[in-house]
Amino acid sequence: MTKRKTTNTKKNKTVKPTQKEKTLSTAVNAESEDQSVEESPAKTASTENAQKTKAVKEPRKEPLKAEAVEETIPEEPVPEVYTTPRRSVAFIGSECYPFVKTGGLGDVMYALPKALIKQNCDVKVILPCYKCIPQEYQEKMVYKGSFQMDLCADGRSFYVGIMEYVWDGVVYDFIDNEEFFTTGNPYTNLIDDIPKYCYFSKAALAALNYMDWIPDIIHCHDWQAALVPVYLRIKFVDTKLTSAKTILTIHNLRFQGIYNIPTIRYWSGLPDYVFNKDALKTGYEDANMLKGGLTYTNIITTVSNTYAGEIQNSYYGETLDAHLRYHSNKLRGIVNGIDYDIWNSFTDDRLYVNYDITNVLEKKKENKRRLQEELGLAQDDHKFVIGLISRLTDQKGLDLVNSIMTQIMDEHTQVVVLGSGDSRYEDSFRYYEYAYKGNVCSNIMYDETRAHRIYAGADALLVPSQFEPCGLTQLIAMHYGTIPIVRETGGLKDTVEPYNMFSNMGNGFTFDRYDAGLLLDAINRAKSLYFLNRWCWDEMVQRDMDKNLSWDNSAKQYKDLYLDLTR
Ligand code: ADP
C-alpha cells in the first residue's frame, strides 16, 4: 500500500538559505534633501511612509518627476529590535509560493511567516510535498525522517516522510507520500482531495510530534488544514502538542471540504461523536471539514474586517453564517499585505523597465508600450489599458464584465486579461480578443511573469468580485501605480478608498451593488479622470504607490493575537 519515495535517500544535503537581497524602498529617491516639493496627497496618505520623506519647502506644480532627484542616500542597516516575547508558530496549509501557488493563499503562506520572523516568531511551515513542486526546490530538500501513521477508521496506516528546506529564515517541512501527492495540480476533485487533506492534517501534527517541535501556536489555513484543530483535541490529547493553541484562518469560505459522512468518517478515522450538528455534520448526511475546524479551533480569523462581518450573514455565509455567528466571539478580521521583496517595481526583474514613485509616470508608459508590443496590441501611449488578473470563476464578477464588454470597448480603450478557470469565461474572453483584435488580449493561462508585466503596464486593474475575502491583486496594482476599479466588498472595501473628486483623495474607483451598470459607471469615472484630468490621475498613481501595503502591520496584529492566546 505504502510507497516510499526514492528521494528519502538524499540525506544530509547542505541547504543553503538564499537570502534575498534587501531592496531599497521605492521611495528612497524621494528622500534626497535637495528636493523641494510641496507635501502632496501622495505623501500625506501614509503616515508611516511619510517618515521617509524629508522636510519639504516649496509648492510643486506637478506630480513628482525623476529629474528632480539628484542623489540617493544609502540606507543604514537598521538592527532588528524585538519588543515582544518570542513565540513559535507552525503554519499548516495546502499551498505556498514559490513551491505551489494557485491563488492568494499561496502568497500569504509565503509572506506572512517571513513577516512574523521580524515580529520575533519562530516559524515552521508545513506543506504537502506535491510532485509538481519545481525540481530546483525538491533537490534542495533534506530528508528529516519518516514513520507510519494510522489514519483510517479500519486502522489502515500510511507512510509519512518529512523533507525539509530552510529559506529566508523560515523552515519548510514537506509531508511526503507519493500515494496522495502525485498529481500535477494540488487540487483535483473532492473524491481525491478529501482523503488527501485528512491525511495531510493528521500527518502535519504527527510530524511535529515526531520532530519534537512543540509550537505555542498552530496556525491552520482553509479547509485543507481545518481538521488539524479537530485531530489535536481528539487524537493528540496525550501528546506534548496538546498545549498548543490553534488559529484557523479562512481565506475563502466558499471552499469547505464537504462530502458524505461515511467517507469522511472512514478517511479521517475520527470518532462518531464529532459528526454532530455542532461540529462536522452539515445538512442531513454530509460532513463539513471546515465547520469542524471552526468548532474546535481557539480562534478564527479571516483576511479582512469587512469579510469577517459579511460571512455572518446569509448572502456571504455560504451556509455557515449561523455557525459563524455562534462562534463570533472568537472571530477576527486581519487584512493581508503584500511581500515587498517580490512586489517591488524598483527591483522586479520580470518588468521591462523598473521604476519607483519618482519616475513612475514616464516609466509606466514604457512598460505599457512594451506590454502592448508583446501582446500584439496597437502600440499607443494614449490608450487606457485595463488589466484583469484573476481566476476565471463566478466569484470574480466576470459575468458583469462580460455583459458590459461592448460598452467598455471604445477606440481609446484596451483590455488585457490573464487567467484561467471556467470554460464559459475562458471562451467569452477568447471571443472578445477575436472581436476586438489589437485592443483586447486574453491570456488564458497562469503566468507569473505576465502578471508582473500587466501590473506594471496597465493603467487600471479591474476587480469587480461578487465577494472577495481580501484580494491581493488590488494591493499589488496600487503598489505598482495601477489604479484599482473594485466592488466594495470584503478586503476590496477595506483597502481601496474611493476617489473623491472634491477633495482629490482616494486610491481607486469603486461601486457597491453587484450590478453591471454600476461597474460600467465606475470604469467611465476612471476614464473621465484619466482623459480629462490627468494631473489628478497621476497624483493618485503616486499616492497608491506610497500607500503602506506591506505585511508589517498585519503581522503585528497576528503576533498580538498569538500573545493574547498564550499569556
Ligand atoms: P484568489 O486567492 O481568490 O485567487 P487573490 O487576489 O487573493 O485571489 O490572489 C490572486 C493571486 O494570484 C495574485 O498574486 C495574482 O497575481 C495571482 N494570479 C491570479 N491569476 C493569475 C494568473 N493567471 N497568472 C499569474 N498570477 C495569477
Side-chain angles (χ1 to χ4, degrees):
M1 251 354 311
T2 314
K3 287 185 215 162
R4 281 188 183 238
K5 197 168 174 177
T6 48
T7 47
N8 289 349
T9 51
K10 283 185 263 165
K11 288 185 188 170
N12 303 327
K13 269 198 169 184
T14 332
V15 176
K16 194 164 163 255
T18 53
Q19 180 74 35
K20 275 196 172 175
E21 250 186 36
K22 291 268 182 263
T23 51
L24 284 176
S25 150
T26 50
V28 157
N29 288 349
E31 290 183 9
S32 167
E33 295 220 42
D34 301 338
Q35 272 195 98
S36 46
V37 287
E38 179 194 32
E39 191 157 284
S40 71
K43 293 284 110 190
T44 51
S46 146
T47 46
E48 272 146 272
N49 286 1
Q51 293 167 359
K52 294 180 190 163
T53 314
K54 295 271 166 85
V56 284
K57 293 154 199 158
E58 286 169 23
R60 83 177 153 78
K61 302 285 182 283
E62 55 185 312
L64 286 168
K65 284 275 173 65
E67 303 85 86
V69 179
E70 279 170 14
E71 61 183 54
T72 53
I73 302 169
E75 271 186 356
E76 287 280 312
V78 184
E80 290 185 36
V81 180
Y82 298 131
T83 50
T84 54
R86 197 162 179 80
R87 288 291 180 269
S88 52
V89 190
F91 262 58
I92 305 179
S94 58
E95 57 180 271
C96 176
Y97 175 89
F99 313 111
V100 56
K101 168 182 157 185
T102 68
L105 171 62
D107 290 306
V108 176
M109 289 288 291
Y110 165 74
L112 181 54
K114 264 178 69 191
L116 283 169
I117 284 175
K118 293 189 204 148
Q119 299 290 335
N120 201 16
C121 286
D122 200 2
V123 191
K124 236 184 213 305
V125 180
I126 305 193
L127 298 163
C129 194
Y130 302 110
K131 257 279 161 50
C132 60
I133 293 174
Q135 199 55 31
E136 59 174 302
Y137 300 113
Q138 300 221 21
E139 280 166 7
K140 289 177 189 153
M141 293 176 189
V142 179
Y143 171 75
K144 295 294 283 186
S146 61
F147 54 91
Q148 287 291 128
M149 177 188 77
D150 288 349
L151 179 69
C152 303
D154 58 4
R156 202 166 144 197
S157 77
F158 289 87
Y159 167 83
V160 179
I162 306 169
M163 305 293 289
E164 194 165 276
Y165 176 50
V166 185
W167 184 36
D168 265 5
V170 180
V171 178
Y172 297 90
D173 281 318
F174 294 87
I175 302 296
D176 182 25
N177 180 303
E178 288 201 340
E179 209 162 324
F180 289 110
F181 304 131
T182 42
T183 49
N185 196 314
Y187 317 119
T188 40
N189 52 64
L190 274 181
I191 299 171
D192 292 330
D193 289 352
I194 294 284
K196 188 193 301 183
Y197 293 113
C198 285
Y199 163 84
F200 172 64
S201 297
K202 192 171 183 192
L205 290 174
L208 287 173
N209 239 347
Y210 177 86
M211 293 184 281
D212 201 23
W213 198 81
I214 311 301
D216 300 309
I217 301 285
I218 299 180
H219 193 156
C220 324
H221 299 265
D222 272 352
W223 78 266
Q224 295 91 345
L227 284 189
V228 170
V230 187
Y231 278 123
L232 184 68
R233 300 292 166 232
I234 287 170
K235 297 272 184 188
F236 288 79
V237 274
D238 297 327
T239 67
K240 284 195 243 168
L241 268 184
T242 195
S243 63
K245 298 283 190 259
T246 54
I247 296 183
L248 176 55
T249 296
I250 304 169
H251 294 262
N252 192 333
L253 191 63
R254 178 150 288 180
F255 308 107
Q256 300 177 4
I258 301 176
Y259 216 75
N260 62 55
I261 291 177
T263 303
I264 294 189
R265 189 198 283 130
Y266 172 75
W267 280 103
S268 67
L270 286 165
D272 284 350
Y273 66 83
V274 300
F275 295 91
N276 72 71
K277 69 172 179 45
D278 293 326
L280 268 94
K281 188 173 178 189
T282 192
Y284 291 105
E285 54 194 20
D286 286 335
N288 180 330
M289 289 166 56
L290 183 67
K291 188 176 174 211
L294 298 175
T295 305
Y296 278 86
T297 191
N298 296 105
I299 291 283
I300 303 165
T301 68
T302 186
V303 286
S304 68
N305 246 324
T306 296
Y307 193 61
E310 284 175 344
I311 56 179
Q312 295 180 58
N313 71 51
S314 58
Y315 182 78
Y316 293 99
E318 307 282 349
T319 74
L320 283 184
D321 46 303
H323 194 65
L324 286 161
R325 282 197 300 278
Y326 182 78
H327 288 286
S328 59
N329 62 330
K330 59 176 186 183
L331 172 62
R332 321 267 161 91
I334 300 178
V335 81
N336 287 336
I338 51 173
D339 188 281
Y340 275 16
D341 289 339
I342 297 175
W343 300 108
N344 183 340
S345 57
F346 192 60
T347 54
D348 187 340
D349 54 15
R350 300 186 204 243
L351 300 192
Y352 306 107
V353 201
N354 290 113
Y355 57 91
D356 62 18
I357 195 169
T358 63
N359 59 9
V360 51
L361 304 176
E362 301 145 46
K363 300 290 180 186
K364 214 166 192 328
K365 273 191 205 150
E366 205 173 329
N367 276 299
K368 185 201 278 197
R369 202 184 44 72
R370 299 276 295 276
L371 180 71
Q372 289 168 327
E373 187 184 353
E374 182 178 325
L375 301 184
L377 297 174
Q379 288 176 49
D380 184 348
D381 279 357
H382 302 293
K383 298 247 182 184
F384 182 65
V385 176
I386 302 175
L388 194 156
I389 301 173
S390 176
R391 287 183 291 115
L392 302 182
T393 64
D394 288 338
Q395 177 198 334
K396 299 294 180 177
L398 303 169
D399 51 339
L400 300 189
V401 180
N402 266 341
S403 61
I404 56 165
M405 196 67 185
T406 51
Q407 289 148 286
I408 298 175
M409 292 312 299
D410 54 31
E411 70 271 33
H412 308 296
T413 307
Q414 292 181 335
V415 172
V416 177
V417 177
L418 173 64
S420 58
D422 298 353
S423 56
R424 69 188 176 116
Y425 295 124
E426 292 187 350
D427 292 343
S428 63
F429 284 120
R430 282 192 188 105
Y431 165 76
Y432 288 123
E433 175 173 291
Y434 166 79
Y436 297 98
K437 244 190 175 53
N439 283 315
V440 172
C441 178
S442 300
N443 305 272
I444 306 302
M445 59 176 81
Y446 187 95
D447 185 333
E448 286 281 347
T449 301
R450 191 147 293 178
H452 284 238
R453 290 177 176 178
I454 296 172
Y455 286 121
D459 295 296
L461 190 95
L462 218 51
V463 199
S465 307
Q466 216 174 60
F467 69 95
E468 195 59 74
C470 177
L472 294 176
T473 56
Q474 84 282 7
L475 301 181
I476 302 167
M478 287 191 274
H479 199 52
Y480 275 47
T482 302
I483 304 298
I485 301 174
V486 307
R487 177 159 173 257
E488 290 168 19
T489 182
L492 299 172
K493 187 171 179 183
D494 292 356
T495 56
V496 180
E497 186 194 329
Y499 176 67
N500 180 328
M501 62 187 290
F502 301 105
S503 63
N504 191 32
M505 288 301 288
N507 309 110
F509 294 87
T510 70
F511 63 104
D512 53 8
R513 267 182 303 111
Y514 191 72
D515 180 291
L518 296 184
L519 169 61
L520 183 62
D521 178 62
I523 295 172
N524 285 338
R525 276 184 280 128
K527 280 187 191 174
S528 303
L529 193 75
Y530 181 83
F531 287 113
L532 304 177
N533 196 344
R534 186 66 64 86
W535 194 90
C536 288
W537 178 275
D538 288 346
E539 257 204 347
M540 181 150 47
V541 166
Q542 291 179 329
R543 192 161 54 238
D544 282 5
M545 284 192 79
D546 199 42
K547 197 171 158 74
N548 184 0
L549 301 167
S550 76
W551 268 104
D552 295 346
N553 243 333
S554 316
K556 192 174 171 311
Q557 292 180 55
Y558 279 110
K559 177 67 189 289
D560 290 344
L561 199 56
Y562 298 161
L563 291 173
D564 274 356
L565 262 177
T566 53
R567 261 182 222 297

